[in-house]
mmCIF file of all heavy atoms in Angstrom:
data_model
loop_
_atom_site.group_PDB
_atom_site.id
_atom_site.type_symbol
_atom_site.label_atom_id
_atom_site.label_comp_id
_atom_site.label_asym_id
_atom_site.label_seq_id
_atom_site.Cartn_x
_atom_site.Cartn_y
_atom_site.Cartn_z
ATOM 1 N N ILE V 40 -27.953 -269.218 76.335
ATOM 2 C CA ILE V 40 -27.559 -270.243 77.300
ATOM 3 C C ILE V 40 -28.592 -270.510 78.396
ATOM 4 O O ILE V 40 -28.912 -271.627 78.693
ATOM 5 C CB ILE V 40 -26.175 -269.866 77.968
ATOM 6 C CG1 ILE V 40 -25.044 -269.968 76.911
ATOM 7 C CG2 ILE V 40 -25.861 -270.740 79.167
ATOM 8 C CD1 ILE V 40 -23.739 -269.359 77.372
ATOM 9 N N PHE V 41 -29.121 -269.430 78.915
ATOM 10 C CA PHE V 41 -30.162 -269.547 79.920
ATOM 11 C C PHE V 41 -31.424 -270.238 79.412
ATOM 12 O O PHE V 41 -32.023 -271.081 80.054
ATOM 13 C CB PHE V 41 -30.540 -268.176 80.483
ATOM 14 C CG PHE V 41 -29.472 -267.547 81.300
ATOM 15 C CD1 PHE V 41 -29.385 -266.123 81.417
ATOM 16 C CD2 PHE V 41 -28.522 -268.289 81.952
ATOM 17 C CE1 PHE V 41 -28.470 -265.517 82.146
ATOM 18 C CE2 PHE V 41 -27.561 -267.633 82.699
ATOM 19 C CZ PHE V 41 -27.502 -266.293 82.840
ATOM 20 N N LEU V 42 -31.806 -269.927 78.177
ATOM 21 C CA LEU V 42 -32.970 -270.560 77.583
ATOM 22 C C LEU V 42 -32.764 -272.024 77.310
ATOM 23 O O LEU V 42 -33.683 -272.817 77.405
ATOM 24 C CB LEU V 42 -33.457 -269.753 76.373
ATOM 25 C CG LEU V 42 -34.009 -268.375 76.649
ATOM 26 C CD1 LEU V 42 -34.294 -267.650 75.390
ATOM 27 C CD2 LEU V 42 -35.301 -268.515 77.460
ATOM 28 N N ARG V 43 -31.561 -272.404 76.863
ATOM 29 C CA ARG V 43 -31.290 -273.681 76.484
ATOM 30 C C ARG V 43 -31.278 -274.646 77.729
ATOM 31 O O ARG V 43 -31.511 -275.827 77.653
ATOM 32 C CB ARG V 43 -29.975 -273.832 75.755
ATOM 33 C CG ARG V 43 -30.106 -273.225 74.342
ATOM 34 C CD ARG V 43 -29.005 -273.605 73.511
ATOM 35 N NE ARG V 43 -29.140 -274.949 73.107
ATOM 36 C CZ ARG V 43 -28.488 -275.544 72.158
ATOM 37 N NH1 ARG V 43 -27.566 -274.866 71.475
ATOM 38 N NH2 ARG V 43 -28.655 -276.784 71.911
ATOM 39 N N ASN V 44 -30.914 -274.088 78.898
ATOM 40 C CA ASN V 44 -30.861 -274.843 80.094
ATOM 41 C C ASN V 44 -32.271 -275.213 80.571
ATOM 42 O O ASN V 44 -32.432 -276.118 81.384
ATOM 43 C CB ASN V 44 -30.137 -274.068 81.221
ATOM 44 C CG ASN V 44 -28.663 -274.073 80.985
ATOM 45 O OD1 ASN V 44 -28.094 -274.891 80.284
ATOM 46 N ND2 ASN V 44 -28.002 -273.145 81.666
ATOM 47 N N GLY V 45 -33.280 -274.541 80.082
ATOM 48 C CA GLY V 45 -34.618 -274.851 80.414
ATOM 49 C C GLY V 45 -35.196 -274.225 81.664
ATOM 50 O O GLY V 45 -36.387 -274.204 81.886
ATOM 51 N N GLY V 46 -34.362 -273.636 82.466
ATOM 52 C CA GLY V 46 -34.854 -273.003 83.710
ATOM 53 C C GLY V 46 -34.564 -271.486 83.652
ATOM 54 O O GLY V 46 -33.447 -271.062 83.949
ATOM 55 N N LEU V 47 -35.551 -270.745 83.267
ATOM 56 C CA LEU V 47 -35.385 -269.277 83.191
ATOM 57 C C LEU V 47 -35.761 -268.720 84.540
ATOM 58 O O LEU V 47 -36.934 -268.694 84.927
ATOM 59 C CB LEU V 47 -36.269 -268.701 82.105
ATOM 60 C CG LEU V 47 -36.048 -267.266 81.751
ATOM 61 C CD1 LEU V 47 -34.647 -267.091 81.162
ATOM 62 C CD2 LEU V 47 -37.071 -266.762 80.774
ATOM 63 N N LYS V 48 -34.752 -268.266 85.271
ATOM 64 C CA LYS V 48 -34.946 -267.704 86.612
ATOM 65 C C LYS V 48 -35.043 -266.173 86.567
ATOM 66 O O LYS V 48 -34.996 -265.618 85.494
ATOM 67 C CB LYS V 48 -33.782 -268.093 87.521
ATOM 68 C CG LYS V 48 -33.646 -269.575 87.705
ATOM 69 C CD LYS V 48 -32.459 -269.946 88.523
ATOM 70 C CE LYS V 48 -32.335 -271.442 88.604
ATOM 71 N NZ LYS V 48 -31.142 -271.885 89.241
ATOM 72 N N VAL V 49 -35.282 -265.506 87.672
ATOM 73 C CA VAL V 49 -35.420 -264.090 87.739
ATOM 74 C C VAL V 49 -34.156 -263.408 87.207
ATOM 75 O O VAL V 49 -34.238 -262.452 86.401
ATOM 76 C CB VAL V 49 -35.727 -263.598 89.150
ATOM 77 C CG1 VAL V 49 -35.756 -262.117 89.232
ATOM 78 C CG2 VAL V 49 -37.047 -264.174 89.605
ATOM 79 N N SER V 50 -33.017 -263.921 87.572
ATOM 80 C CA SER V 50 -31.730 -263.291 87.074
ATOM 81 C C SER V 50 -31.624 -263.511 85.589
ATOM 82 O O SER V 50 -31.118 -262.623 84.865
ATOM 83 C CB SER V 50 -30.557 -263.938 87.793
ATOM 84 O OG SER V 50 -30.515 -265.310 87.539
ATOM 85 N N HIS V 51 -32.098 -264.634 85.033
ATOM 86 C CA HIS V 51 -32.067 -264.818 83.608
ATOM 87 C C HIS V 51 -33.038 -263.882 82.904
ATOM 88 O O HIS V 51 -32.703 -263.331 81.807
ATOM 89 C CB HIS V 51 -32.470 -266.300 83.311
ATOM 90 C CG HIS V 51 -31.546 -267.265 83.988
ATOM 91 N ND1 HIS V 51 -31.974 -268.556 84.241
ATOM 92 C CD2 HIS V 51 -30.329 -267.184 84.514
ATOM 93 C CE1 HIS V 51 -31.042 -269.204 84.838
ATOM 94 N NE2 HIS V 51 -30.008 -268.389 85.028
ATOM 95 N N ALA V 52 -34.202 -263.695 83.476
ATOM 96 C CA ALA V 52 -35.136 -262.790 82.889
ATOM 97 C C ALA V 52 -34.586 -261.337 82.896
ATOM 98 O O ALA V 52 -34.820 -260.589 81.933
ATOM 99 C CB ALA V 52 -36.480 -262.842 83.640
ATOM 100 N N LEU V 53 -33.848 -260.988 83.914
ATOM 101 C CA LEU V 53 -33.218 -259.651 83.961
ATOM 102 C C LEU V 53 -32.243 -259.507 82.816
ATOM 103 O O LEU V 53 -32.157 -258.456 82.158
ATOM 104 C CB LEU V 53 -32.544 -259.476 85.278
ATOM 105 C CG LEU V 53 -31.872 -258.105 85.497
ATOM 106 C CD1 LEU V 53 -32.872 -256.966 85.371
ATOM 107 C CD2 LEU V 53 -31.169 -258.113 86.833
ATOM 108 N N VAL V 54 -31.459 -260.540 82.541
ATOM 109 C CA VAL V 54 -30.483 -260.495 81.443
ATOM 110 C C VAL V 54 -31.240 -260.345 80.120
ATOM 111 O O VAL V 54 -30.829 -259.565 79.249
ATOM 112 C CB VAL V 54 -29.582 -261.757 81.454
ATOM 113 C CG1 VAL V 54 -28.802 -261.841 80.148
ATOM 114 C CG2 VAL V 54 -28.667 -261.736 82.633
ATOM 115 N N CYS V 55 -32.346 -261.028 79.949
ATOM 116 C CA CYS V 55 -33.128 -260.966 78.750
ATOM 117 C C CYS V 55 -33.679 -259.529 78.560
ATOM 118 O O CYS V 55 -33.745 -259.004 77.434
ATOM 119 C CB CYS V 55 -34.219 -261.994 78.717
ATOM 120 S SG CYS V 55 -33.600 -263.656 78.539
ATOM 121 N N ALA V 56 -34.164 -258.940 79.652
ATOM 122 C CA ALA V 56 -34.693 -257.613 79.592
ATOM 123 C C ALA V 56 -33.590 -256.612 79.239
ATOM 124 O O ALA V 56 -33.800 -255.693 78.388
ATOM 125 C CB ALA V 56 -35.333 -257.229 80.950
ATOM 126 N N LEU V 57 -32.430 -256.768 79.855
ATOM 127 C CA LEU V 57 -31.266 -255.874 79.500
ATOM 128 C C LEU V 57 -30.903 -256.050 77.984
ATOM 129 O O LEU V 57 -30.596 -255.077 77.373
ATOM 130 C CB LEU V 57 -30.099 -256.180 80.396
ATOM 131 C CG LEU V 57 -30.169 -255.717 81.827
ATOM 132 C CD1 LEU V 57 -28.982 -256.206 82.614
ATOM 133 C CD2 LEU V 57 -30.251 -254.208 81.861
ATOM 134 N N LEU V 58 -30.978 -257.253 77.541
ATOM 135 C CA LEU V 58 -30.684 -257.530 76.131
ATOM 136 C C LEU V 58 -31.681 -256.694 75.257
ATOM 137 O O LEU V 58 -31.254 -256.089 74.268
ATOM 138 C CB LEU V 58 -30.787 -259.005 75.759
ATOM 139 C CG LEU V 58 -30.734 -259.378 74.298
ATOM 140 C CD1 LEU V 58 -29.368 -258.984 73.721
ATOM 141 C CD2 LEU V 58 -30.991 -260.820 74.098
ATOM 142 N N GLY V 59 -32.926 -256.700 75.620
ATOM 143 C CA GLY V 59 -33.917 -255.993 74.864
ATOM 144 C C GLY V 59 -33.678 -254.445 74.860
ATOM 145 O O GLY V 59 -33.760 -253.799 73.819
ATOM 146 N N PHE V 60 -33.325 -253.924 76.026
ATOM 147 C CA PHE V 60 -33.038 -252.489 76.148
ATOM 148 C C PHE V 60 -31.791 -252.138 75.337
ATOM 149 O O PHE V 60 -31.834 -251.070 74.605
ATOM 150 C CB PHE V 60 -32.884 -252.053 77.539
ATOM 151 C CG PHE V 60 -34.155 -251.918 78.292
ATOM 152 C CD1 PHE V 60 -34.427 -252.740 79.394
ATOM 153 C CD2 PHE V 60 -35.098 -250.968 77.899
ATOM 154 C CE1 PHE V 60 -35.602 -252.627 80.043
ATOM 155 C CE2 PHE V 60 -36.318 -250.895 78.575
ATOM 156 C CZ PHE V 60 -36.542 -251.711 79.675
ATOM 157 N N PHE V 61 -30.727 -252.959 75.401
ATOM 158 C CA PHE V 61 -29.557 -252.619 74.602
ATOM 159 C C PHE V 61 -29.767 -252.792 73.098
ATOM 160 O O PHE V 61 -29.234 -252.076 72.308
ATOM 161 C CB PHE V 61 -28.323 -253.471 75.078
ATOM 162 C CG PHE V 61 -27.692 -252.889 76.345
ATOM 163 C CD1 PHE V 61 -27.779 -253.514 77.506
ATOM 164 C CD2 PHE V 61 -26.980 -251.705 76.289
ATOM 165 C CE1 PHE V 61 -27.218 -252.998 78.640
ATOM 166 C CE2 PHE V 61 -26.377 -251.213 77.398
ATOM 167 C CZ PHE V 61 -26.505 -251.835 78.580
ATOM 168 N N MET V 62 -30.570 -253.836 72.763
ATOM 169 C CA MET V 62 -30.835 -254.096 71.355
ATOM 170 C C MET V 62 -31.635 -252.923 70.760
ATOM 171 O O MET V 62 -31.469 -252.599 69.600
ATOM 172 C CB MET V 62 -31.627 -255.366 71.166
ATOM 173 C CG MET V 62 -31.823 -255.808 69.778
ATOM 174 S SD MET V 62 -30.323 -256.301 68.981
ATOM 175 C CE MET V 62 -30.373 -258.032 69.228
ATOM 176 N N ALA V 63 -32.532 -252.296 71.539
ATOM 177 C CA ALA V 63 -33.310 -251.169 71.068
ATOM 178 C C ALA V 63 -32.416 -249.969 70.713
ATOM 179 O O ALA V 63 -32.858 -249.129 69.934
ATOM 180 C CB ALA V 63 -34.319 -250.784 72.106
#
Side-chain angles (χ1 to χ4, degrees):
I40 290 170
F41 291 154
L42 290 173
R43 291 192 74 166
N44 286 340
L47 189 65
K48 298 178 183 173
V49 174
S50 61
H51 303 157
L53 180 63
V54 169
C55 292
L57 286 173
L58 172 64
F60 283 117
F61 278 110
M62 187 69 95

